[in-house]
Amino acid sequence: MTTSTGTAPASAAIPADQVPPGGDAARGAVLLSGITKHYGDQLAVDDLSLTIQPGEFISLLGPSGCGKTTTLRMIAGFEQPDAGDIRISGQSVLGEPPYRRNVNTVFQAYALFPHMTVAENVAYGLQQRKTPKAEIRTRVSEALDLVQMRQFADRKPTQLSGGQQQRIALSRALVNRPAVLLLDEPLGALDRQLREEMQLELKLLQSRLGITFVFVTHDQGEALSMSDRIAIMRHGRIEQIADADTVYARPASAYVAAFVGQQNFFTGPVAESGAAVEAPEGLVRGATAELTGVARGQAAVRPEFVRITAESTADPAGAASPVNSVRGTLLGVAHLGETMQYLVQVSDDKSLIARRPTPEAPSLSVGDAVVCSWDAANVLLFPADDAAADGGYVAPPAV
């Protein structure tokens, strides 16, 4: 995948390096070329280009208003771009209504017909297409088997749990055998445990069927657990697209670093020829000189890389070092199951989060004087801007 910043006319040829294996006509390939969408004066999607491979599970991830749902709706045909081209399985679908695109969409609201049985709900789309009755019966049974719901075929949706209704919505979409399945935050109405179970089932189902899945979510956990690639969106553009390991460990910007997972940010003048940031809390040094030629920078450290010890037991030499080490007062401790989380006040207006595996977590109490430290290899360096505050979690100020 590549992103585009230039203007791409609707007739623009697809670059060779964006053509999916088997050619751009491969079933399930989706190519967006320079698509733009305005709502009045508001720019929702800004000259976005994206290639989705056949059979890929890709997530569009970002906060509300970043353009992810608008992008999905343009692929589905519920919205038309103001500029650019959309190709599905090699064919431009500009101007085509949803029912003429080989896609189906699953929404957060399942939109099942309450007066119909499960089987009738699943069969509805096939009936609208005048599919022969014998074929309908066979395909409905197959679609219900895919989601392990055949035994509920004669029930009404109101007799099913939320997770079961979600499975029926999936079955209804899959029975039409689309080349691309679009999912718009379909798990948002489920409780946490059921949502996590459905994440696993969705990924297994997609792997089994080989259908292209385009999944829209604001939940980073969903995107990280299911996706072959994740496209993190910001202001109608793609900030970074990569697999889960890459976007988590090697974010392309402070915005991505803040949005995916949690970060402790330190801001200040760049020091040591671009290898460190001189923050008010101390010098934060990275492993390489990432900020050469930059005046101010941000250093980011994930909570799981922060070591925490009582000041009374800290190594005197390490505790005194101003590099990648800060002193503070413990504000709170949270038990997260497999990990313990510590909130530490490190200055009048800044706090820091440390997270340690429960078996090795130190026994500390609120009010304890502590020392937090981390290795240079775990420091990410970015030019200073407003990206972190714009995109995701930043440790709250001390209170």
Side-chain angles (χ1 to χ4, degrees):
M1 201 300 301
T2 60
T3 58
S4 171
T5 56
T7 300
S11 60
I14 302 299
D17 63 355
Q18 290 192 37
V19 177
D24 68 330
R27 189 176 192 272
V30 180
L31 283 78
L32 310 180
S33 182
I35 61 170
T36 297
K37 181 65 178 180
H38 290 85
Y39 294 103
D41 294 334
Q42 181 181 357
L43 180 60
V45 177
D46 184 10
D47 192 25
L48 183 149
S49 291
L50 170 66
T51 296
I52 301 171
Q53 307 290 348
E56 182 175 24
F57 194 127
I58 190 167
S59 290
L60 306 181
L61 174 66
S64 298
C66 71
K68 59 187 186 297
T69 295
T70 300
T71 299
L72 190 84
R73 289 178 62 82
M74 286 192 285
I75 298 173
F78 299 120
E79 303 282 355
Q80 294 295 331
D82 299 323
D85 192 17
I86 300 174
R87 299 168 69 88
I88 298 175
S89 302
Q91 299 297 315
S92 177
V93 294
L94 287 182
E96 295 287 352
Y99 65 87
R100 291 196 175 176
R101 305 185 183 202
N102 195 6
V103 304
N104 271 96
T105 307
V106 178
F107 301 98
Q108 180 175 338
Y110 313 134
L112 300 176
F113 297 113
H115 63 285
M116 293 183 180
T117 66
V118 163
E120 290 168 343
N121 267 279
V122 175
Y124 181 78
L126 297 177
Q127 292 170 341
Q128 296 300 110
R129 297 183 180 189
K130 310 298 183 183
T131 305
K133 291 183 178 180
E135 184 179 348
I136 289 177
R137 287 194 295 271
T138 299
R139 288 173 62 174
V140 167
S141 295
E142 291 174 348
L144 289 174
D145 282 341
L146 283 174
V147 295
Q148 302 176 24
M149 291 293 291
R150 189 171 183 175
Q151 67 270 36
F152 299 99
D154 295 328
R155 292 193 185 181
K156 298 290 181 65
T158 54
Q159 297 174 296
L160 304 176
S161 68
Q164 289 170 333
Q165 290 184 50
Q166 183 58 274
R167 289 184 176 90
I168 298 307
L170 281 169
S171 180
R172 184 177 59 183
L174 292 169
V175 75
N176 294 315
R177 298 173 182 171
V180 182
L181 185 64
L182 308 173
L183 302 107
D184 188 6
E185 306 210 39
L187 309 182
L190 305 180
D191 61 57
R192 179 178 177 180
Q193 182 175 352
L194 184 55
R195 187 165 64 246
E196 291 175 350
E197 292 173 0
M198 286 298 297
Q199 289 170 15
L200 294 174
E201 291 187 19
L202 265 180
K203 181 57 182 175
L204 289 172
L205 182 62
Q206 189 268 340
S207 298
R208 177 182 172 187
L209 297 176
I211 293 174
T212 305
F213 275 32
V214 184
F215 189 92
V216 160
T217 182
H218 65 275
D219 186 319
Q220 56 180 279
E222 287 184 352
L224 290 169
S225 65
M226 293 189 292
S227 311
D228 297 318
R229 288 187 303 159
I230 304 169
I232 296 96
M233 295 189 64
R234 179 190 188 194
H235 300 327
R237 290 175 174 259
I238 294 174
E239 188 87 354
Q240 182 177 10
I241 181 165
D243 58 74
D245 287 341
T246 300
V247 297
Y248 191 85
R250 297 187 297 279
S253 66
Y255 172 84
V256 175
F259 193 82
V260 180
Q262 290 180 314
Q263 295 282 1
N264 297 295
F265 281 94
F266 301 88
T267 304
V270 172
E272 298 188 358
S273 302
V277 169
E278 186 64 68
E281 298 77 24
L283 187 70
V284 184
R285 179 186 294 154
T288 57
E290 299 289 338
L291 298 177
T292 303
V294 177
R296 288 180 61 82
Q298 292 184 107
V301 185
R302 293 202 182 275
E304 61 265 33
F305 296 134
V306 178
R307 297 181 294 270
I308 182 170
T309 58
E311 185 175 343
S312 59
T313 61
D315 175 67
S321 172
V323 180
N324 293 348
S325 177
V326 296
R327 295 172 181 264
T329 302
L330 187 61
L331 293 178
V333 182
H335 199 304
L336 304 181
E338 69 276 11
T339 60
M340 297 291 290
Q341 182 168 284
Y342 305 87
L343 180 64
V344 180
Q345 178 179 334
V346 296
S347 67
D348 290 341
D349 60 355
K350 186 176 181 62
S351 58
L352 176 148
I353 286 181
R355 194 177 297 127
R356 306 306 301 165
T358 299
E360 64 182 58
S363 179
L364 298 168
S365 300
V366 172
D368 284 353
V370 297
V371 175
C372 296
S373 61
W374 51 89
D375 297 329
N378 299 132
V379 174
L380 299 169
L381 297 173
F382 305 100
D385 57 22
D386 63 348
D390 181 37
Y393 178 86
V394 181
V399 293

